[in-house]
Amino acid sequence: MAYVINDNCVACGTCQAGCPADAITEGDKYSIDPDVCISCGTCAENCPADAIYED
Ligand code: SF4
């Protein structure tokens, strides 16, 4: 299962900087490519808006 980013995202970029798989894409809200995510959980731990969870 991959991690997903919900509407609480404030587009700070913290998750993208820490992703070891380069699975996160920048935008108005950031998004995670489920085919690339290795479900390590690093982004969820680092997110200051608590916007990332395992789906
Ligand atoms: Fe990247 Fe890990 Fe978050 Fe997946 S769970 S998007 S691999 S930091």
Side-chain angles (χ1 to χ4, degrees):
M1 290 201 295
Y3 279 70
V4 296
I5 302 175
N6 69 20
D7 286 346
N8 291 336
C9 175
V10 294
C12 67
T14 303
C15 57
Q16 188 182 42
C19 178
D22 198 21
I24 304 177
T25 303
E26 188 176 358
D28 289 343
K29 309 279 183 191
Y30 280 62
S31 62
I32 297 172
D33 184 336
D35 294 327
V36 178
C37 174
I38 57 173
S39 297
C40 68
T42 303
C43 54
E45 291 172 11
N46 291 341
C47 179
D50 201 20
I52 307 179
Y53 57 95
E54 193 166 20
D55 187 26

